[in-house]
C-alpha cells in the first residue's frame, strides 16, 4: 500500500461510477450486472459525501 495515496475527489468518484454503470450495461450475467450497479451506487454515495464535505 502506498504511503501517500491520492485523495479521491467527487469527480473521480463520479467517473468510477460511470465506468461501472457502462460495464453493467454491457454485462449479460444478471448477478454481475447487479453487483456492478451496487458498486456504482456506492461510488455515487461517496461523491455526494465528498461534495457535502467540500461545501459544493
Amino acid at each position: 500500500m502506498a504511503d501517500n495515496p491520492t485523495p479521491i475527489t467527487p469527480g473521480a468518484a463520479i467517473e468510477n461510477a460511470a465506468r461501472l454503470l457502462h460495464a453493467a450495461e454491457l454485462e449479460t450475467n444478471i448477478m454481475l450486472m447487479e453487483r456492478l450497479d451496487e458498486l456504482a451506487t456506492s461510488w455515487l454515495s461517496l461523491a455526494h459525501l465528498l461534495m457535502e464535505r467540500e461545501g459544493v
Side-chain angles (χ1 to χ4, degrees), residues 8-38:
I8 297 172
T9 64
I14 292 169
E15 287 177 16
N16 283 335
R19 181 179 49 80
L20 288 164
L21 288 172
H22 178 71
E25 288 177 350
L26 302 175
E27 185 55 56
T28 57
N29 179 325
I30 297 297
M31 292 181 72
L32 181 54
M33 183 190 320
E34 290 173 348
R35 184 64 184 134
L36 291 169
D37 182 70
E38 291 170 3

